[in-house]
Structures are given as C-alpha cells and as structure tokens.
C-alpha cells in the first residue's frame, strides 16, 4: 500500500474522528477545554495507531524490526507535500466552479435566513394565537357553567310554574271549549293545580318551601278557585243536558250512559270534591229522569207483552181441575180445539222456558207484527230477564259514575208496577204448571244475579215467591178438593175403560216432577253459585239420552227445592215450599187411589171392579213411563197394578175352572200333609173334573182371550195379563196332576187316560202368547 493511500485513509479517519469528537462535544458542553483537547488528542492518536496497525506490511515490518521509522516519516511527509501540491493544482483548475458553488451557498444562506425570519414571525404569531385560544377556552368554560346554571334554574322554575300557573289554553278550554276529552284533561290539570297551591308540605319543585306559602301560590289561589267554579257550572250544564236526553222517547239509553256520562265519570268525581251540592243535584236529576224512563219502558213493554198472552183466550179456568165434572168437561171439549193451553200436560213448555240459558227477551213489537202468542210463563221470563239486565246495567253504571248504589230510587216504581200486574194475573190464574215454571224462572234469575254479584233484586224475588207459592198452593188445594168430592155421578158414570181423571192426574204429576227436575238441572249449571243447602247426588238422578225428560229418585226429590225460601208466613222456617208441594203430591196420590176405588165400587161384579182398576192403574203407569219419570209414585202404582192383575187372574180362572181350582186348593195341603191314599179321594169327583177339563179347556182359553181383549184397551197390558192367566192355569192343572199322581201312585184309574198333556196345553198357550 502506498503512502498516499495511507495518508488518504488517515485523513478520512481523522475527519471521522473529528466529527465524532464534535458530536461528543456538542453532547457534553460542560467539559473543560483542556480536558477536551486532551481527549481529542488521545482519540486521534488511538485512531492513527489503529490505522497504522491495520496495514499488514507495516505490521510485519514492525514485528521483524526491518522498518525505519525516521525514513518512513520523511517519506510520508514528502508524499503529503506532493498531495498538497496536487490538491492546490486541482483547486486552481476548479476555481471557477468553486467560486460559483460559493455564490450558490451564499444565496442559499440568504434564502434560509429569510425563511428563518419568516418562520420566526410565524412562531410569534402562533404564540399570540395560543394565548387567544386559552382566553377563548376560559370564556367558553365560564359560559358553559353559566348556561348549566341557567338551565337548572329554568328547569326548577318550569316545574314550579307547571304546578301553580294556569296555561291560557287551559283557561280557554274550560271557559269556552266543548266538553270533550280535552276539557276532561284540562279539568284534571286544574284540579291538580288546586291541590298543589294548597299544599302545606315543602316540595322539591318549590325549592323546599310549602307551595301555599309562596307568593305565586297565594296569588294563584283566587284565580284557580274562580276557574273551578266556571268548570263546575259548565259540567252541571252538560250533565243536565245529557240527562234531559234520557227522558226523550225512543232514546238509546245505553249509548247516552256510555258515551255521554260514563266517559266523563271523572267530572262527577270533580263535582263531588268541588261542589257536593251540585253533585247531589246531578244525582237526584239522574235518579228522577232514569226512574221515569225505566218505569215508562217497562210499562210499555209489559202492556205489549200482555197483548201476546195466549192465556187471555186459551188459559186454564177454575173448572180445569183433575176431577172435573162431566158437564164442565163437555163444555170444555166443545171449544178446546180452538182454545186452551193444556194445564196438565207439560209438553215443551219447560224446555222453552228453562233450557235456554242464553234466552233473549221477546221483541214485543216484532211479535205483535207477526201476530205471535206465548204462554204467560214465557212473557214472565222475558220480563224478568229484561228486568235483570236493566238492574245489572244500572248497578254497574251507578257504581262507576256515582260511586254508590241507586237501585231503590231507580226501580221502586217499576217494581211496584210489576208486582201489581203479577197480582192481577194471579187473581185469575189456575195453571199450576205456569206458576211452577214462573217460580223456577225466578229462582234461575236469582242465581244469575248472584253469579254477577248483584243482590239488588233479592227482596223483589222474595215478594214474587210470596205471591206465586200461595197461589200454587191454592190451586193444588183446588185439585185435591175436586178429587175428594168427586163421585161417579159428578164424573158422568164409569165403565170398564180408563177414566179421564187418571190420565189428567198422571199428566199433571209427571209435569210437576219434570219441572222440579228442570229446576234442579239449572241449579247444576250454576253450581259454582249454589247454596250449600243444595245436596243433589248424581247417583240419584239419571237423565235420558234421547229426551229431555227426567228420572227422579225417591230419596232426593224433596231436596230439589231446598234452596227456595220457606213458605211465606209459615211458622217453621225449615219447611220449604218445595217440601209442601211434594207433600201435596203424596196426598193427591192417596186421594186419586181412593177415588178410583170409589168409582170401581160402582160396578156390579168384583171382576169388573178389578178390570176398571187395572185399566186406570195401567194408564197411569204408562204415562209415567212415557214421560220417563220414576220414583215412589210410580213404584206404588206398579205394586197396585200387580196386585189387581193377580186378583183378575184368579177371578178369570174361577169363571171356567172354579171346580178344579177349588179341588186343588182344598185337597193339595191335605194330601201333602197326610200322604193320603186313594180311599181319601172320591174318584168320581176326579173323573168328572178330568172329563170337564179335557172337553172344555180349549174353549175356556179362547173365552179368556176374548175377555182379555175386550176388557183391556191397552193391547200390551192385555197380552201380559193373558199370559199371566194362562200361566196360572197351567200351574193349577200341573198341581191337579200332581195330586192324582200322589194319590194313585201305584196304579192310576182308567179315567186318567183322559188327562190332557201339559205339553199340549203349553203349546196352546204359546199360540196366544206369540204376539207378546
């Protein structure tokens, strides 16, 4: 490596070290100049040594000692001198370029100086702006605090004003606006302001002060009171106008109540609080107006219903009793095709009246236009249902609007009208079924009201029951007297066929029992509201699947009416009207049986008396079975019928086989007890009996068959009796043969060959019994 290269590298290293040293000096300006110079020299020396040692040839020469430092130093200095000369020559050759570079550097320095001056100006301006920004920030913070404070003050003041100040639109709505939802809201706001300005307790919205003690609160009290009086006057005028509409004819009362009064029930509360006198006036006006309206409506409706009453021309009369006299019966039959509702046969009357739980009242004007007619119990039910709905409606309205019950003032005149009309009807009523149906209607409607939790009509229903039950009792007594006083002469004589009295009695009794069960069924529908006294067991009541006819057991028929009030005026409150009715039915049954026996005694022979009783008892049993009513009444008649059939069987057999029957009855016990021989029995008598029987038995059976068919109008009953007679005949003949076999057990006499075989008789009996 040449000396020049080494010198060049050394120069470069020195420049680098000088830059490093200058940086260090900049970084550590606190060092002393001497220390800095020493440090600089040390660093320079270290760099030179490192550069020198980095040359391998020099390092090797120093290692073997062949390098002469003096000659080497002179060589280096010479090379440096040559380099310096070359550098000067290069500088001279480039002097124009260097001069231009210097000018450019000076120009750049001037530009940079101007730029520095401009930046310094900008810096000064930015310094001023930052101050302004700080000032603006301080002002903004101050204004924000002021705004927040003012908003808090505004909110508090607004709450205070809202509680005590009356808005202009509120004043206008109350003084001049129509009574509508806006008016109602304004009255509520006014009432709230009234309470606020009279409040004696400190409130947060009044800054912890009592509103009544503030200046604004005291000033507003007089203004609010005046406006409340204006509101009271306007509300009074509005309510009086609406209640005037109630008195207008053909007015939809419910629409006025709902949309004209109930909608503004809070205004009535406002009157009660502000002016109790005006509120009381409104109540009295409503009670008077609505009471007259209800009275007029029910009077008109009742008058229209009475025009639909089919009982005016077709109702039962005093002559319509079970044991009606023959002359009265003929008069009734001459016009019965054109008039008369049957007061003994129930038909569909109970279904029409008691089955339809969703029954709607009859539209009287429509029914009149269609020229319809109804039995009185239907009209009564329509009237009671209408009354029940009206009472429920008024009860709910009064509770919601006046906060009290106004039943007595509203309905006293109407209920008096209905009771008066009912009394007038009962004076001429002789239809026990209609009365019992009306009692059940009253009972069902009372249960409905209990389910609605409305007890206003309880006393009315008690009065209705106190009118209906005695009248029903009077009619039952009338029937009983007719049966007790009846005889063959009054009833137009008797024959072998069933008497009309037995049919009328059976129809009447079945109808009464059917109505009782219908009432029981309605009580089961309302069982959630039933009285604890009612105790009807399901096992004792069975309902037919094919018809709405009842089967009532013996044990609990007396329980059906246990929820009905005791007999009015009775001394024993435990005896219900229903129990008395059932007792009357028992008495009537005894009297009817006694009457049938008296009528039977009019026949000359015992056989005809028995036939008469069988026909009547069979007719009663058949009617009970057709109506599907069973119980102790039916059981008693069946027992009597069976007894009379047995008597008839004996009487009929005695007509043709009296000798054989007498022989069997006299001889059988004696033979069984003593085991007598043939000597104890007269063979000639037995032979005569055998020959008579073998020659006459077929003709006798034919005669029995003809007698049975002629005696009994009920074919099935006749066939049952014929079967029973022939069976008994076969039984007697079998016993007759047994006596012969026992007496002549070893050797039977020759006349025994004439005995008719039991199989032959049985075959003949089957011929007559095939139709059974």
């Amino acid at each position: 490596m040449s000396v020049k290269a080494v010198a060049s590298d050394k120069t470069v290293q020195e420049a680098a070290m000088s830059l490093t040293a200058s940086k260090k000096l900049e970084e550590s300006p606190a060092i002393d100049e001497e220390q800095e110079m020493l440090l600089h020299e040390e660093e320079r020396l270290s760099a030179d040594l490192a550069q020198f040692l980095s040359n391998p040839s020099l390092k090797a020469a120093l290692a073997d000692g062949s390098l002469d430092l003096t000659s080497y130093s002179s060589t280096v200095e010479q090379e440096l001198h040559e380099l310096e000369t070359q550098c000067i020559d290069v500088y001279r050759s480039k002097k124009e370029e260097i001069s231009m570079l210097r000018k450019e550097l000076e120009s750049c320095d001037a530009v940079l100086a101007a730029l520095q001056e401009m930046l310094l100006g900008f810096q000064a301006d930015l310094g001023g702006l930052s101050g302004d920004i700080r000032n603006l920030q301080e002002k903004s913070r101050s204004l924000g605090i002021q705004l927040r404070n003012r908003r808090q003050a505004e909110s508090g003041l607004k709450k205070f004003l809202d509680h005590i100040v009356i808005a202009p639109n509120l004043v206008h709505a109350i003084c001049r606006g129509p009574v509508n939802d806006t008016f109602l809201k304004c009255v509520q706001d006014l009432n709230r302001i009234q309470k606020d300005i009279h409040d004696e307790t400190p409130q947060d919205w009044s800054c912890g002060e009592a509103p009544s003690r503030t200046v604004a609160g005291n000033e507003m009290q007089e203004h609010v009171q005046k406006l409340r009086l204006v509101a009271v006057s306007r509300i009074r005028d509005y309510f009086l106008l609406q209640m005037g509409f109630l008195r207008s004819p053909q007015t939809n009362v419910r629409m006025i109540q709902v949309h004209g009064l109930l909608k503004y029930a809070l205004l009535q509360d406002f009157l009660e609080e502000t002016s109790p006198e005006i509120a009381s006036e409104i109540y009295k006006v409503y009670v008077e107006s609505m009471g007259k309206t209800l009275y007029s409506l029910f009077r008109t409706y009742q008058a229209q219903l009475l025009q639909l009453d089919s009982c005016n021309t077709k109702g039962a009369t005093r002559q319509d009793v079970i044991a009606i006299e023959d002359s009265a019966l003929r008069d009734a039959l001459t016009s019965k095709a054109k008039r008369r509702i049957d007061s003994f046969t129930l038909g569909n009357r109970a279904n029409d009246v008691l089955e339809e739980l969703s029954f709607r009242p009859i539209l009287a004007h429509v029914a009149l236009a269609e020229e319809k007619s109804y039995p009185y119990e239907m009209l009564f039910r329509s009237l009671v249902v209408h009354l029940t709905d009206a009472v429920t409606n008024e009860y709910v309205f009064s509770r919601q609007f006046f906060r009290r019950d106004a039943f007595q003032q509203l309905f006293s005149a109407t209920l008096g009208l209905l009771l008066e009309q009912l009394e007038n009807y009962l004076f001429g009523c002789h239809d026990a079924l209609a009365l019992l149906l009306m009692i059940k209607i009253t009972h069902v409607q009372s249960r409905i009201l209990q389910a609605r939790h409305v007890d206003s009509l309880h006393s009315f229903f008690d009065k209705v029951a106190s009118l209906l039950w005695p009248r029903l009792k009077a009619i039952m007594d009338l029937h009983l007297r007719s049966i007790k006083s009846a005889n063959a002469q009054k009833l137009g004589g008797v024959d072998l066929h069933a008497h009309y009295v037995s049919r009328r009695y059976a129809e009447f009794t079945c109808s009464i029992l059917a109505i009782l069960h219908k009432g029981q069924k309605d009580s089961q529908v309302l069982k959630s509201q039933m009285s604890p006294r009612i105790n009807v067991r399901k096992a004792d009541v069975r309902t037919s699947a094919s018809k709405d006819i009842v089967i009532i057991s013996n044990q609990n028929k007396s329980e059906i009416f246990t929820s009905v009030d005791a007999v009015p005026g009775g001394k024993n409150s435990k005896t219900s009207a229903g129990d008395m009715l059932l007792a009357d039915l028992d008495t009537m049954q005894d009297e009817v049986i006694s009457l049938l026996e008296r009528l039977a005694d009019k026949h000359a022979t015992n056989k005809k008396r028995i036939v008469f009783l069988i026909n009547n008892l069979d007719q009663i049993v058949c009617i009970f079975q057709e109506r599907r009513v069973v119980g102790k009444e039916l059981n008693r008649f069946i027992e009597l019928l069976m007894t009379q059939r047995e008597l008839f069987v004996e009487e009929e057999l005695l007509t043709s086989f009296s000798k054989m029957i007498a022989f069997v009855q006299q001889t059988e016990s004696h033979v069984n007890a003593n085991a007598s021989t043939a000597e104890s029995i007269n063979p000639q008598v037995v032979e005569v009996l055998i020959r008579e029987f073998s020659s006459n038995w077929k003709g006798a059976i034919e005669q029995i068959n003809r007698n049975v068919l002629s005696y009994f109008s009920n074919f099935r009953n006749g066939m049952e009796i014929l079967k029973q007679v022939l069976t008994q005949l076969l039984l007697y003949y079998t016993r007759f043969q047994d006596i012969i076999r026992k007496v002549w057990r070893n050797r039977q006499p020759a006349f025994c060959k004439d005995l008719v075989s039991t199989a032959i008789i049985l075959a003949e009996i089957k011929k007559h019994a095939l139709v059974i």
Side-chain angles (χ1 to χ4, degrees), residues 242-476:
Q242 294 299 317
M243 292 172 188
F245 292 152
L246 294 176
R247 294 189 294 268
S248 301
Q250 298 181 352
T251 300
N252 191 330
V253 175
R254 186 58 183 166
M255 292 292 291
I256 295 176
Q257 287 179 335
V258 174
H259 300 288
L261 296 176
L262 277 180
K263 186 177 181 181
Y264 304 108
L266 293 177
L267 296 181
Q268 178 66 17
D269 296 339
F270 174 77
L271 290 181
E272 293 283 355
E273 180 182 353
T274 305
S275 180
E277 298 82 4
I278 301 298
S280 179
E281 178 189 1
I282 296 299
Y283 173 76
K284 292 178 180 178
V285 171
Y286 175 80
V287 167
E288 180 182 0
S289 301
M290 195 61 197
K292 291 181 179 179
T293 300
L294 289 171
Y295 180 83
S296 176
L297 288 175
F298 275 95
R299 182 180 61 186
T300 303
Y301 185 65
Q302 187 181 61
Q304 292 175 338
L305 288 181
L306 290 178
Q307 298 179 36
L308 301 173
D309 184 11
S310 58
C311 295
N312 289 332
T313 57
K314 302 178 183 179
T317 66
R318 185 177 181 83
Q319 304 298 326
D320 289 322
V321 291
I322 292 178
I324 184 173
E325 294 186 6
D326 183 64
S327 58
L329 180 61
R330 286 197 298 270
D331 293 339
L333 291 176
T334 56
S335 58
K336 193 168 184 178
K338 297 182 179 178
R339 68 182 189 95
R340 296 289 179 89
I341 293 175
D342 194 344
S343 57
F344 300 95
T345 304
L346 184 62
N348 292 324
R349 293 170 68 180
N351 295 338
D352 295 339
V353 174
L354 299 177
E355 285 288 326
E356 302 175 7
L357 294 178
S358 59
F359 174 81
R360 299 180 64 85
I362 297 172
L363 298 177
H365 61 285
V366 176
L368 287 172
E370 296 176 356
E371 298 182 353
K372 291 183 178 180
S373 62
Y374 300 91
Y376 188 82
E377 63 268 16
M378 286 289 292
L379 306 180
F380 179 78
R381 181 187 183 185
S382 181
L383 190 64
V384 172
V385 170
H386 193 47
L387 177 64
T388 302
D389 293 341
V391 169
T392 304
N393 176 69
E394 290 303 320
Y395 177 85
V396 174
F397 174 82
S398 299
R399 291 290 184 180
Q400 292 179 349
F401 190 77
F402 295 109
R403 315 299 179 189
R404 51 183 157 171
D405 189 10
F407 169 79
Q408 190 61 35
Q409 295 87 338
L410 287 171
F411 287 94
S412 58
T414 301
L415 297 183
L417 172 69
L418 299 182
L419 290 174
E420 180 182 359
Q421 195 281 327
L422 180 60
E423 289 180 357
N424 295 333
Y425 167 76
L426 293 180
F427 286 144
C429 177
H430 296 85
D431 189 350
L433 303 184
L435 292 176
L436 191 56
L437 287 172
M438 291 164 64
I439 291 171
K440 297 313 300 176
I441 290 169
T442 304
H443 180 69
V444 170
Q445 293 302 315
S446 177
R447 292 298 184 187
I448 291 175
L449 280 182
Q450 289 183 19
R452 297 176 182 176
H453 303 288
V454 179
D455 57 355
S456 303
L457 282 178
H458 182 71
S459 60
F460 171 76
F461 287 143
D462 287 344
K463 292 179 182 178
V464 171
S466 67
L467 294 175
L468 294 175
W469 276 115
R471 185 58 187 171
L472 179 59
K473 175 63 175 173
I475 295 176
M476 293 295 293

Side-chain angles (χ1 to χ4, degrees), residues 403-554:
R403 315 299 179 189
R404 51 183 157 171
D405 189 10
F407 169 79
Q408 190 61 35
Q409 295 87 338
L410 287 171
F411 287 94
S412 58
T414 301
L415 297 183
L417 172 69
L418 299 182
L419 290 174
E420 180 182 359
Q421 195 281 327
L422 180 60
E423 289 180 357
N424 295 333
Y425 167 76
L426 293 180
F427 286 144
C429 177
H430 296 85
D431 189 350
L433 303 184
L435 292 176
L436 191 56
L437 287 172
M438 291 164 64
I439 291 171
K440 297 313 300 176
I441 290 169
T442 304
H443 180 69
V444 170
Q445 293 302 315
S446 177
R447 292 298 184 187
I448 291 175
L449 280 182
Q450 289 183 19
R452 297 176 182 176
H453 303 288
V454 179
D455 57 355
S456 303
L457 282 178
H458 182 71
S459 60
F460 171 76
F461 287 143
D462 287 344
K463 292 179 182 178
V464 171
S466 67
L467 294 175
L468 294 175
W469 276 115
R471 185 58 187 171
L472 179 59
K473 175 63 175 173
I475 295 176
M476 293 295 293
D477 292 342
L478 188 63
H479 286 299
L480 287 172
R481 286 196 299 270
S482 71
I483 297 172
K484 289 180 180 179
S485 62
N487 53 49
Q489 183 179 359
K490 291 182 179 180
L491 299 179
V494 293
D495 54 19
L496 295 179
H497 298 292
H499 202 276
Y500 64 85
V501 172
S502 61
R503 170 170 289 279
R504 289 163 77 94
Y505 162 76
E507 293 285 3
F508 182 77
T509 303
C510 290
S511 299
I512 293 292
L513 295 177
I515 294 174
L516 294 184
H517 175 76
K518 291 294 181 183
Q520 179 190 18
K521 187 177 180 180
D522 292 334
S523 297
Q524 291 175 347
V525 174
L526 296 171
K527 62 183 178 181
S528 62
Q529 302 296 330
M530 286 175 65
S531 170
R533 296 171 59 195
I534 297 178
N535 183 22
V536 179
R537 295 180 292 274
K538 292 183 179 178
D540 296 332
V541 179
R542 302 180 296 278
T543 304
S544 172
S546 60
K547 296 183 180 180
D548 294 331
I549 304 298
V550 306
I551 300 177
I552 305 176
S553 71
N554 300 335

Side-chain angles (χ1 to χ4, degrees), residues 60-80:
L62 288 173
D64 58 13
S66 60
L67 178 62
D68 186 5
L69 295 174
T70 305
S71 60
Y72 184 72
S73 175
S74 59
T75 303
V76 170
E77 289 181 356
Q78 184 178 358
E79 290 179 355
L80 290 173

